[in-house]
Structure formats: structure tokens, C-alpha cells
């Protein structure tokens, strides 16, 4: 036998404990014994995230690291992290055929299947992962997400709760368990999400989930202020993301509810719309488009339309304006250049009242 490479493990077959093998393969002279033993040790070794290469030379087992498979796994992870899902998918499917018990392979291929909507395969692989490695926290979290996406919310809740029990301070386990618990209206949802935010204070998903949970179960003004602060954090942490878009929608809804607390027209909004119409009277459509763009961009970061003491600067029509004033300017600008376009804040009645006054005044 050649001198083994560094890291190679040599095991005498005669000294190997075969009691864990099926009875048919406990006799080393049985047909297919060598093939089964190689398969068994490959799976047994790969459970710890290794990529073993197993062979037999006479009466000796030779176990070494499959460097090519390890490199492929690293390439697959890199592809997934860079958003190259087809490439990552192909790499991990090829590795799965060779290493069906490797947790790295099971986790990443299971996640790819889940993201692609192939929930049956995702659940099969991730459930197998948690069976093989019951302490694999993120395996339980990924399984919970796959169950949730498949509409199996009870199973999702059980998997997520297992993840939290294994790692009570893990931010991903906490936010997943909290989100699922909130869907089930479980009373512990808020506590789980509060812990998730403490563990990951800049995690936009946890922040958004906590904000939505608080808004669903509370209606007092103090909670609404806390929710608004959480939603602002979401926008700041992940500008332009789906979470930020959702946060902006909720903030607009809260602002609009407060705006509409008074009956009838909001006279301040009527006045602001009228002032905007007068300002636009001598401006070109191109100039008004610039105003619309600037105010819409400012609005995406969140405007406090109910605070007359807070102002925001504009460059296109120089000055400092309240949040409600900016909304009215944006609405009037859009009605001039793109009538009927959704401004994200319904002040149609106030605008039309201002337009009637504007037309009467000539």
C-alpha cells in the first residue's frame, strides 16, 4: 500500500464494528459487503459536513477528503450568495447524488427547492436533514419556512418552535417562530419578535414583523408611535426592498387614518393644494415633473403628515414644508402631468375643492 496522504484515515476491516450494519452485511464475506460498507461509511462521515472519499485496499478501509467535492460545495455556496440560483442548484443536485446525507448539501438544496416553489422536495430534504442532525438550528428554521410556504402552518410552527428551543437567542429562529406565531394569533408572538429585534436590531424582516404584530393587536396612540418608529427603521435598514415598500404602505395607512379622524374636508390640505396650483400656474410641465419626482422620492422615506412642527426642504420649489404640504404639492403635480395616477395618499376631495376655488379665481 502506498504511503497515505495527510488526513487519510486507515481502518482495518477486521477491526471495524459491523453491528450497526444490516444483518445481511454483518458478514464481511457476504456478497456486496464491500460496496455496502463504502456507502455506509460515506454517509456516516458526511453527516458532519465532510465530503469523504472511501475505498478498500485488501483488508483496509481508506477514508480521505474529496477535495473536488469540497471545492464544488464552496462554488455552489458562492453561486447562491451571488444570486446565481440555476448554477447553485445544479452543483448541489450533483453533490446530493453522491452525498445524500451531507447537511451542507441537504440544507442548501432544500433551500433552493423552497425558493423555487418545489415544496415537496424541499420538505423531504430538510426533514431528512433535521432527522440526521437534530441540533441543526437553521435546518429547522428552513423546514419551518418550507412548511409555511406550502400552507402547512401547524407543521411550520412546530419546526420553528424546535429551532427556538435549540437556540433561544438565534435571530433567524426567533423571527421565523414569531412571524408564524403571529399568523396563528398566538399570544407569545410579540415576545418572540421583540427578542428577534433585540438579537438583530437592524434586521428589516424582524422589525417589520414586530410592527405588523403590534399594529394588529393594539390600537392606542403610544403603540402606533412605536410601530411608526419600527417601520422607519425598516426603511432605513433596507431602502428599496420589499420590506421597505411594505413599511411605507403601512406608514401611509397610519398617517391617512390620523388625517381622516376629523369629519369633512381637511382645510389645511385644501389650502396647501390651492397654494400648489397657484405655484404651478407659471411653471412648465417639465418643471412640474421635477417637483413630482422630488416630492415622491421624499415621500418614499416616510413623511409625518400629522405633525405641523416638522418640516422638509425642497429644491425644486425652494423652501421648507410640512409633511402634509409636501403630499399636497405632490398630488397637485401628479394631477397636472399624469392625471389619475395613484399618489399613495388620498386627498382627492381636498384637491378638487382647491381646484374649484382656483378656477373661480381665474
Amino acid at each position: 500500500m502506498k504511503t497515505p496522504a495527510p488526513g487519510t484515515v486507515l481502518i482495518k476491516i477486521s477491526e471495524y464494528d459491523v453491528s450497526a450494519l444490516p444483518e445481511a452485511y454483518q458478514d464481511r464475506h457476504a456478497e456486496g459487503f464491500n460496496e455496502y460498507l463504502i456507502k455506509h461509511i460515506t454517509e456516516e462521515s458526511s453527516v458532519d459536513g465532510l465530503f469523504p472519499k472511501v475505498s478498500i485496499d485488501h483488508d483496509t478501509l481508506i477514508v480521505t477528503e474529496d477535495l473536488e467535492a469540497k471545492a464544488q460545495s464552496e462554488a455552489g455556496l458562492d453561486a447562491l450568495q451571488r444570486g446565481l440560483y440555476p448554477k447553485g442548484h445544479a452543483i448541489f443536485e450533483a453533490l446530493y447524488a453522491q452525498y445524500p446525507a451531507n447537511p451542507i448539501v441537504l440544507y442548501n438544496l432544500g433551500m433552493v427547492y423552497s425558493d423555487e416553489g418545489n415544496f415537496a422536495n424541499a420538505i423531504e430534504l430538510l426533514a431528512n436533514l433535521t432527522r440526521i442532525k437534530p441540533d441543526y438550528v437553521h435546518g429547522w428554521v428552513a423546514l419551518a419556512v418550507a412548511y409555511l410556504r406550502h400552507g402547512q402552518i401547524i407543521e411550520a410552527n412546530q419546526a420553528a418552535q424546535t429551532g427556538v428551543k435549540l437556540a433561544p437567542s438565534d435571530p433567524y429562529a426567533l423571527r421565523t417562530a414569531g412571524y408564524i406565531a403571529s399568523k396563528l394569533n398566538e399570544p407569545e408572538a410579540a415576545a418572540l419578535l421583540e427578542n428577534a429585534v433585540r438579537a438583530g436590531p437592524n434586521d428589516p424582516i424582524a422589525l417589520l414583523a414586530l410592527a405588523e404584530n403590534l399594529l394588529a393587536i393594539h390600537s392606542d396612540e403610544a403603540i402606533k408611535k412605536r410601530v411608526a418608529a419600527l417601520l422607519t427603521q425598516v426603511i432605513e435598514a433596507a431602502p428599496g426592498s420589499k420590506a421597505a415598500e411594505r413599511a411605507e404602505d403601512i406608514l401611509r395607512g397610519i398617517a391617512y387614518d390620523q388625517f381622516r379622524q376629523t369629519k369633512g374636508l381637511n382645510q389645511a390640505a385644501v389650502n396647501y393644494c390651492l397654494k400648489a396650483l397657484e405655484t404651478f400656474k407659471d411653471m412648465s410641465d417639465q418643471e412640474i415633473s421635477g417637483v413630482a419626482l422630488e416630492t415622491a422620492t421624499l415621500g418614499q422615506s416616510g413623511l409625518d403628515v400629522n405633525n405641523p412642527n416638522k418640516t422638509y426642504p425642497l429644491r425644486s420649489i425652494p423652501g421648507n414644508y410640512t409633511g402634509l404640504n409636501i403630499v399636497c404639492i405632490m398630488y397637485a403635480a401628479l394631477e397636472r402631468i399624469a392625471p389619475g395616477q395613484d399618489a399613495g395618499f388620498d386627498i382627492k376631495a381636498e384637491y378638487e375643492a382647491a381646484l374649484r376655488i382656483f378656477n373661480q379665481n381665474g
Side-chain angles (χ1 to χ4, degrees), residues 57-297:
D57 186 356
H58 299 294
D59 64 343
T60 303
L61 275 164
I62 305 169
V63 184
T64 189
E65 187 174 22
D66 187 340
L67 296 177
E68 183 180 349
K70 183 181 179 182
Q72 282 295 302
S73 174
E74 291 171 353
L77 285 169
D78 179 67
L80 294 178
Q81 288 168 355
R82 290 190 292 127
L84 305 175
Y85 280 86
K87 180 179 179 180
H89 184 163
I91 289 173
F92 280 110
E93 274 206 330
L95 287 171
Y96 178 65
Q98 190 176 0
Y99 295 101
N102 184 292
I104 297 171
V105 174
L106 288 169
Y107 177 77
N108 285 286
L109 185 56
M111 287 283 285
V112 168
Y113 281 146
S114 180
D115 289 343
E116 291 175 345
N118 188 348
F119 302 124
N121 282 348
I123 290 168
E124 180 183 353
L125 265 62
L126 294 169
N128 195 29
L129 168 60
T130 58
R131 180 185 61 78
I132 292 169
K133 294 282 287 185
D135 60 346
Y136 199 125
V137 175
H138 288 178
W140 285 104
V141 175
L143 178 59
V145 172
Y147 273 133
L148 182 65
R149 289 171 169 175
H150 197 228
Q152 295 176 254
I153 194 165
I154 301 302
E155 292 84 352
N157 188 48
Q158 292 170 346
Q161 293 297 335
T162 301
V164 171
K165 286 177 183 176
L166 288 169
S169 299
D170 184 271
Y172 303 107
L174 286 165
R175 84 177 187 194
T176 302
Y179 177 79
I180 294 170
S182 67
K183 292 293 182 184
L184 290 168
N185 296 317
E186 297 286 353
E188 67 268 22
L192 286 165
L193 291 170
E194 291 280 11
N195 288 337
V197 167
R198 276 192 286 271
N202 295 315
D203 180 353
I205 298 175
L207 290 164
L208 177 60
L210 176 58
E212 291 189 303
N213 177 264
L214 291 174
L215 199 59
I217 60 178
H218 298 284
S219 58
D220 56 278
E221 291 305 312
I223 292 296
K224 285 184 178 179
K225 286 182 180 179
R226 171 91 194 284
V227 167
L230 289 168
L231 295 171
T232 301
Q233 283 182 261
V234 173
I235 296 166
E236 292 172 349
S241 67
K242 288 185 178 179
E245 289 177 4
R246 174 63 179 154
E248 289 162 6
D249 287 342
I250 298 172
L251 277 173
R252 279 193 291 269
I254 293 172
Y256 187 73
D257 287 345
Q258 293 175 331
F259 174 77
R260 284 299 177 208
Q261 284 179 356
T262 56
K263 294 181 179 180
L265 295 176
N266 185 295
Q267 194 56 48
V270 174
N271 294 337
Y272 287 142
C273 286
L274 180 59
K275 178 65 175 176
L277 289 168
E278 291 170 347
T279 300
F280 295 154
K281 181 170 61 174
D282 299 320
M283 293 175 66
S284 68
D285 285 352
Q286 184 176 358
E287 289 172 321
I288 295 172
S289 294
V291 175
L293 178 61
E294 184 183 6
T295 52
T297 302

